[in-house]
Amino acid sequence: MKKQSYQPRSTKQKNANIAPKQQFPLTIKRIGINGEGVGYFKKTVVFVPGALPGEEVVVEATKVHPKFAEARIKKIRKKSVQRIKAPCPVYELCGGCQLQHMTYEGQLEAKRDILIQALERYTKLDINKLDIRPTIGMEHPENYRNKSQFQVSEKDGKTIAGLFGLNSHKIIDIDECMVQHPETNKVTTEVKRILNDFNIPTFDKKTNKGLIKNIVTRVGFETGEVQVVLVTTKKDIPRKSLLIEEIKKRLPQVVSIAQNINPKKTSLIFGDETIHLSGKESIEERLEDFSYELSARAFFQLNPIQTVKLYNEAKKAAALTGREKLVDAYCGVGTIGLWLADGALEIRGMDVIKEGIDDAKKNAKKFGVDHAEYFVGAAEKLMPKWQKEGWNPDVMVVDPPRTGLDQALLDTIKKVKPKRVVYVSCNPSTLAKDIDDLKGVYDVKYLQPVDMFPQTAHVEVVTNLELKMSN
């Protein structure tokens, strides 16, 4: 998860009144967008990983920037009642999670506050007048991820697989990740052993040499089917057929094996070429009445249990009665629009990726949704065209990437003026900026945070925007 940068609002102070390695007392006020504790010393904001709201700590400055500082805990004088012992043995080394040292109830409160911070920072709305609902959490906030993408390397002559350590390029070997589904843990660990047994070379990031870069494992929660993708630097794998047979022998639950080739020096996991090696090309996953075929590179939400809650919140916000025309922008394979289909008169979805639109059309046919049409293109170009043709949407659903909505689309929404916009966001900061842009035309009826990634600082939000009466 890419770390977001934060700058305090005030620009009056040019330099932080803190020296590197300086130690000082600090009271932690809240949790920041990356899960760190936030406090103030001499009017300078200080970010402290591992500190919790309400705690009184002594910290040491690790980095001093012009307008803020970073620090580490030297001593906790007063502990938060929400502080617990992190259950994961590599929690402090790994960096994949940020909030395991906090009770789950505390995490849910913190995520609502992260949303509030974004609204305070990026909008001029009166926060006290907004309906910001409690975060919807999980009954069991662990083992929820259906996909792992572990880096592969070698240590002391043995194959290891895991995640990069916090602020380093050193791989932390992980056999049991508490946020991963048990099957992805089991399969990844066994594939790691097989690679070691067959002496198949792993990739060395320092020398840029070697073969196996990643083990990607995905499981269908409802079907139990498992897919393994080996990401390699080149096509040829020594003892490939023996490797495949051994995976099938030791792991009968693996019904799909693929290879992806990525020779580039990049942070992206996948390259452009994927080769089907054995079994089915896809695994199946089900969410309530819907089933999905997941090929090696197909996008799918990582937490199926919370995805159902998220989509049902979007459905609730859309408040469809069977008479509405619905636009599904950034529709991908049509997931959200099809989830809402039974309440819409007509659906039009669009995406700039043709493969996604092809899958959306297949899914609509598969689910018997004959009142949905899908188009390759951008919403900001298609919607004005449809408006000229006399087709005006009543409701619009947007589920953009972390960068939020393009300015062209924001302008289009204000021009076309759907009666209701349901904004599904994975980034409170860009959500707040977009809400601020739309506030002249739309009222914020409510914001509903949903915890898709327990133990991390990530939060998703479903926002209900309604066209102002004056428009």
Side-chain angles (χ1 to χ4, degrees):
M1 192 178 301
K2 189 174 180 181
K3 190 170 181 178
Q4 298 183 62
S5 61
Y6 178 93
Q7 297 287 331
R9 262 192 170 185
S10 173
T11 56
K12 292 178 182 178
Q13 184 174 321
K14 292 185 178 179
N15 293 296
N17 294 318
I18 299 170
K21 295 190 177 181
Q22 180 179 344
Q23 294 188 16
F24 50 91
L26 199 68
T27 299
I28 305 301
K29 300 295 184 182
R30 63 203 319 182
I31 290 288
I33 55 175
N34 296 306
E36 66 281 88
V38 180
Y40 295 87
F41 182 73
K42 294 184 178 179
K43 299 183 180 178
T44 296
V45 66
V46 182
F47 298 104
V48 188
L52 295 177
E55 291 190 328
E56 295 174 8
V57 294
V58 176
V59 302
E60 178 180 87
T62 53
K63 288 184 182 178
V64 179
H65 306 267
K67 297 174 185 174
F68 66 97
E70 298 174 52
R72 63 186 179 90
I73 298 172
K74 293 290 288 181
K75 182 181 179 182
I76 301 176
R77 288 177 170 171
K78 179 186 173 186
K79 281 188 180 182
S80 166
V81 294
Q82 294 175 335
R83 178 173 288 278
I84 58 171
K85 181 177 171 53
C88 174
V90 296
Y91 170 57
E92 292 183 2
L93 298 172
C94 170
C97 299
Q98 301 84 45
L99 297 176
Q100 280 191 28
H101 62 295
M102 191 179 203
T103 65
Y104 190 54
E105 294 76 14
Q107 290 183 35
L108 297 180
E109 290 172 16
K111 293 189 183 199
R112 181 177 181 272
D113 188 60
I114 287 170
L115 170 59
I116 290 171
Q117 289 178 63
L119 294 166
E120 287 173 344
R121 176 164 168 73
Y122 295 112
T123 78
K124 296 179 179 66
L125 298 169
D126 185 343
I127 306 299
N128 295 319
K129 291 182 180 177
L130 291 177
D131 181 1
I132 305 171
R133 300 181 175 179
T135 308
I136 295 173
M138 293 189 75
E139 188 177 348
H140 302 289
E142 59 278 320
N143 301 127
Y144 59 79
R145 287 180 70 103
N146 62 7
K147 184 180 183 182
S148 65
Q149 301 183 134
F150 279 8
Q151 312 284 337
V152 180
S153 188
E154 186 182 289
K155 183 181 180 182
D156 300 328
K158 285 194 172 183
T159 303
I160 63 170
L163 299 173
F164 286 123
L166 190 63
N167 301 320
S168 83
H169 292 293
K170 182 183 175 184
I171 293 174
I172 307 299
D173 193 25
I174 300 172
D175 284 334
E176 290 289 331
C177 175
M178 70 166 284
V179 298
Q180 289 288 344
H181 187 286
E183 279 301 308
T184 69
N185 282 326
K186 180 180 177 181
V187 169
T188 301
T189 299
E190 195 57 47
V191 170
K192 175 175 66 176
R193 288 181 187 139
I194 294 169
L195 291 172
N196 189 72
D197 292 346
F198 282 81
N199 200 27
I200 294 173
T202 61
F203 179 69
D204 187 326
K205 197 174 178 71
K206 287 182 182 177
T207 62
N208 205 35
K209 291 179 181 178
L211 180 64
I212 307 291
K213 294 176 85 173
N214 300 85
I215 301 168
V216 180
T217 306
R218 176 150 58 182
V219 62
F221 270 47
E222 291 298 316
T223 64
E225 294 183 340
V226 180
Q227 177 183 72
V228 170
V229 184
L230 297 175
V231 181
T232 63
T233 55
K234 54 188 178 183
K235 185 174 181 179
D236 294 332
I237 300 177
R239 300 171 288 285
K240 184 191 285 186
S241 20
L242 287 173
L243 171 65
I244 293 167
E245 288 308 310
E246 194 67 18
I247 291 173
K248 289 159 67 175
K249 176 183 168 185
R250 294 196 204 177
L251 298 163
Q253 65 271 50
V254 175
V255 299
S256 174
I257 306 173
Q259 175 189 3
N260 178 268
I261 302 166
N262 184 6
K264 297 178 183 176
K265 270 187 104 173
T266 172
S267 59
L268 297 175
I269 301 291
F270 288 115
D272 296 329
E273 184 182 1
T274 303
I275 302 167
H276 175 241
L277 296 181
S278 181
K280 304 197 297 182
E281 291 202 15
S282 303
I283 60 169
E284 184 185 3
E285 179 62 295
R286 290 193 290 268
L287 297 180
E288 292 195 341
D289 297 333
F290 298 90
S291 64
Y292 303 90
E293 296 296 319
L294 306 179
S295 58
R297 293 190 61 193
F299 170 78
F300 196 71
Q301 293 280 4
L302 292 169
N303 185 338
I305 295 166
Q306 291 298 89
T307 295
V308 171
K309 296 179 186 177
L310 183 76
Y311 289 175
N312 282 338
E313 285 302 318
K315 192 171 193 174
K316 193 187 299 181
L320 301 172
T321 65
R323 298 188 296 271
E324 292 84 5
K325 296 172 185 174
L326 174 72
V327 162
D328 181 9
Y330 302 94
C331 71
V333 299
T335 319
I336 293 183
L338 293 171
W339 198 270
L340 308 184
D342 59 351
L345 176 68
E346 185 182 351
I347 299 170
R348 290 190 181 185
M350 71 283 285
D351 203 293
V352 294
I353 300 172
K354 181 184 180 297
E355 291 80 3
I357 292 299
D358 291 341
D359 285 341
K361 290 175 180 177
K362 288 177 190 172
N363 284 332
K365 186 176 181 181
K366 177 181 178 181
F367 301 146
V369 178
D370 55 9
H371 57 295
E373 286 185 273
Y374 292 94
F375 304 83
V376 178
E380 56 266 29
K381 292 184 178 177
L382 290 170
M383 287 172 65
K385 176 175 173 283
W386 295 340
Q387 190 178 46
K388 284 180 183 175
E389 295 168 354
W391 194 89
N392 293 294
D394 301 294
V395 179
M396 182 176 184
V397 178
V398 294
D399 183 13
R402 291 188 64 79
T403 48
L405 301 179
D406 292 334
Q407 187 59 49
L409 182 51
L410 288 164
D411 294 339
T412 298
I413 292 171
K414 288 182 283 187
K415 182 181 176 184
V416 176
K417 296 179 181 175
K419 296 184 187 74
R420 190 174 300 112
V421 176
V422 179
Y423 192 139
V424 181
S425 168
C426 60
N427 184 343
S429 296
T430 52
L431 168 67
K433 291 174 186 176
D434 292 344
I435 286 174
D436 197 58
D437 191 291
L438 294 169
K439 71 179 184 299
V441 181
Y442 285 88
D443 287 321
V444 181
K445 300 306 287 185
Y446 67 82
L447 301 103
Q448 176 61 69
V450 179
D451 187 17
M452 293 289 283
F453 299 99
Q455 319 305 334
T456 78
H458 184 97
V459 60
E460 304 245 344
V461 186
V462 175
T463 303
N464 186 342
L465 300 166
E466 288 195 3
L467 193 65
K468 290 179 183 285
M469 296 296 290
S470 56
N471 288 282

